[in-house]
Amino acid sequence: MSRPAPAKEISVDRLDKDDVFQKTLSSFIHPRGSHLVDRTGPLGEWVDGRTALNTWPYSRVLETAPSTMAKLASRDNTAVESINFASQDYLGLSSHPAIHLAVLEALREYGPHTASSPTLIGNTVASRRLEQSLADLLETEHVLLFPTGWSAGFGTIAGLVRPEDHIVMDHLAHACLRQGAMAATRKLSAVRHNDLASFKRRLQTIRSKDTGNSVLVVTEGIFSMDSDSPDIFTLQGICREFDAVLLVDVAHDLAASGPSGTGQIGIQKMLGQVDLVMGSFSKSLASNGGFLASHRRSVKQFLSWFGGPHIFSNALSPLQVGRVNAALEIVRTREGDLLRRQAHFNIKRLRAAFAKRGVKCLGEPSNVVPVSVGDETVAKIMSGLLEKIGLLTNLVEFPGVPRGKSRFRFQVMATHTPEQIDDAVEVFCACLEVAREMAAERSLNAR
């Protein structure tokens, strides 16, 4: 292994004196106090405490492009060359020469800025071409663009659903979907993850009492915390049985998997059959932005006026549109197929290497590989060790996942090398062993 072994650089005695391991972000969700600004102070003190202990792995700063190797600007001003499994550039297209060329061409043709909402004059010929390309890929007829993937999820739900309507949502659905639902109606039901029987029971209950209002059912193609997928065929059938509409968020699987990059909808042979498909460009398509695809022009027209993030935001930059158009061209060619195959090879290699060392990876193979750690204290200590030694991966802790279910999300690119994968697993397992020893010492000292 080319990287140094992790050292116990955090004092166990110091860990015992700090309560940063006892509290979580959820401890600060409902601050108390009469002054709106002053009451944010306890959170700031907690973040500062974790930062001082090198256990705050968020809001990090890169000095380089987010490629498979990236230079992290560390807090002590020493740049760390790191293996990067923390970026969601699943096909590695952000560094593709054709993507860079497309940005330059878009800059020359349209300039850097739309300077208008898409409801006014923010659209370009290129953005219309992007809408059509997405519609062709998903075998739908109409696509509406949003400035971010988050705003596509939030804006679609908040724009379509009214207070008297119902939403039935997988309880692991993304925050943009949950917040859009909470903004739209109080008649929101979160059902057990990927449990078709729970979906059906809830729809039966709703329709036994209310046949006059609408019901939206929400799920995802790939759930990024658990790396698993719903049975889209059966769920769509349940929706039709109870006169409900299905929305599938394909942010993590579109372009990254499936025939011609059609994700789980393509894998499950549901192209053209899902009511509403929402997605993001920020994972495999080398840009920001998002979209909603539907079979009805009226849905696009309705959301162009009532989907707040669409009408009240400037349209996607021509540079972003150019990137996505170029990325989609690659995705649908033989090169795209080769990149997906390479990514799948890398995913299998990573998961197999962890399995060989007795470390559990959750879910099914996808570009997101959740590596289970469990204990929050171990995970927090690990986050500092990994950063110091030069491995970037994303810690997910409570309340992002249940207590005792902490994990690190490895986000695998097609462009990772076998050596980078093997090195990353070796570093991770070494840090896990040290972190467990430190957590055990801390627990003994606390008795």
Side-chain angles (χ1 to χ4, degrees):
M1 182 177 69
S2 60
R3 296 174 184 276
K8 294 182 181 180
E9 297 179 358
I10 302 172
S11 165
V12 175
D13 291 338
R14 189 176 179 193
L15 294 184
D16 293 331
K17 295 175 183 177
D18 289 271
D19 69 349
V20 297
F21 287 87
Q22 306 303 317
K23 294 181 178 178
T24 69
L25 278 171
S26 63
S27 306
F28 307 96
I29 290 175
H30 299 292
R32 297 183 179 275
S34 60
H35 196 278
L36 192 65
V37 173
D38 287 349
R39 71 185 191 181
T40 64
L43 171 63
E45 293 171 6
W46 178 71
V47 171
D48 290 344
R50 282 191 62 174
T51 302
L53 288 176
N54 197 27
T55 63
W56 183 251
Y58 309 109
S59 302
R60 296 174 289 189
V61 178
L62 292 181
E63 295 183 354
T64 57
S67 187
T68 57
M69 296 295 297
K71 187 175 289 187
L72 184 71
S74 66
R75 296 179 180 90
D76 59 3
N77 296 318
T78 58
V80 179
E81 189 76 22
S82 302
I83 309 171
N84 182 16
F85 280 91
S87 294
Q88 49 202 23
D89 184 20
Y90 296 152
L91 297 182
L93 292 181
S94 288
S95 58
H96 195 289
I99 304 295
H100 291 193
L101 180 60
V103 171
L104 294 175
E105 291 176 348
L107 180 63
R108 282 194 294 268
E109 189 166 357
Y110 298 105
H113 183 39
T114 56
S116 182
S117 161
T119 308
L120 300 175
I121 60 167
N123 293 308
T124 63
V125 172
S127 61
R128 290 301 191 210
R129 186 167 71 249
L130 174 55
E131 291 174 348
Q132 188 59 55
S133 294
L134 287 165
D136 292 344
L137 181 67
L138 293 167
E139 296 185 16
T140 60
E141 284 136 77
H142 304 286
V143 168
L144 187 71
L145 301 178
F146 286 84
T148 64
W150 196 96
S151 66
F154 180 94
T156 293
I157 295 177
L160 287 176
V161 176
R162 293 296 171 262
E164 61 273 15
D165 296 328
H166 304 263
I167 298 175
V168 181
M169 177 178 293
D170 191 296
H171 84 97
L172 292 186
H174 192 270
C176 70
L177 305 168
R178 296 198 307 271
Q179 291 185 30
M182 289 186 288
T185 180
R186 292 185 178 182
K187 297 179 181 180
L188 169 61
S189 302
V191 301
R192 188 178 302 166
H193 177 52
N194 277 347
D195 189 328
L196 295 172
S198 293
F199 275 104
K200 185 169 185 174
R201 282 194 302 269
R202 188 60 197 146
L203 289 174
Q204 282 177 321
T205 300
I206 290 170
R207 283 307 187 206
S208 69
K209 301 174 182 178
D210 186 353
T211 58
N213 293 303
S214 294
V215 183
L216 177 68
V217 173
V218 182
T219 190
E220 300 186 14
I222 287 285
F223 286 86
S224 66
M225 293 300 178
D226 286 30
S227 187
D228 56 0
S229 305
D231 180 344
I232 298 172
F233 173 82
T234 302
L235 190 54
Q236 181 67 78
I238 293 170
C239 288
R240 288 180 180 146
E241 181 181 353
F242 293 99
D243 193 28
V245 169
L246 177 64
L247 169 66
V248 179
D249 174 359
V250 297
H252 284 277
D253 53 311
L254 184 71
S257 63
S260 298
T262 51
Q264 280 295 320
I265 291 176
I267 290 170
Q268 299 187 34
K269 296 180 170 50
M270 286 295 289
L271 284 172
Q273 299 182 58
V274 176
D275 296 323
L276 299 173
V277 180
M278 168 254 144
S280 170
F281 305 141
S282 60
K283 276 68 178 176
S284 298
L285 294 172
S287 181
N288 293 337
F291 69 91
L292 177 77
S294 68
H295 299 286
R296 298 280 292 275
R297 182 183 298 276
S298 58
V299 171
K300 179 176 180 177
Q301 292 167 330
F302 194 91
L303 283 175
S304 72
W305 289 102
F306 299 115
H310 176 86
I311 183 174
F312 295 117
S313 299
N314 269 359
L316 278 171
S317 158
L319 309 188
Q320 295 170 313
V321 172
R323 291 171 72 88
V324 182
N325 272 324
L328 277 174
E329 289 181 12
I330 295 170
V331 161
R332 300 179 71 177
T333 63
R334 183 173 179 274
E335 182 180 1
D337 291 336
L338 290 173
L339 288 170
R340 282 185 288 277
R341 280 201 290 272
Q342 184 60 44
H344 187 66
F345 172 84
N346 289 344
I347 293 160
K348 289 176 63 178
R349 186 183 185 100
L350 181 68
R351 294 178 75 98
F354 275 122
K356 187 175 181 180
R357 289 177 173 263
V359 176
K360 182 180 181 181
C361 296
L362 305 177
E364 59 197 52
S366 79
N367 292 78
V368 181
V369 180
V371 183
S372 179
V373 172
D375 183 83
E376 282 83 5
T377 298
V378 172
K380 290 172 182 175
I381 295 171
M382 274 193 75
S383 67
L385 299 176
L386 291 171
E387 182 173 314
K388 197 74 175 178
I389 211 168
L391 173 59
L392 298 181
T393 183
N394 295 313
L395 171 62
V396 187
E397 55 184 313
F398 181 83
V401 292
R403 289 188 183 276
K405 301 289 186 180
S406 294
R407 65 203 61 174
F408 285 85
R409 285 198 313 177
F410 279 68
Q411 294 179 291
V412 182
M413 304 182 202
T415 45
H416 279 120
T417 66
E419 293 76 20
Q420 289 168 343
I421 293 168
D422 295 345
D423 202 5
V425 172
E426 190 168 352
V427 166
F428 185 92
C429 292
C431 288
L432 177 58
E433 184 177 345
V434 170
R436 283 173 172 166
E437 291 175 4
M438 294 179 67
E441 288 180 44
R442 176 181 180 274
S443 179
L444 286 173
N445 291 351
R447 291 177 183 175

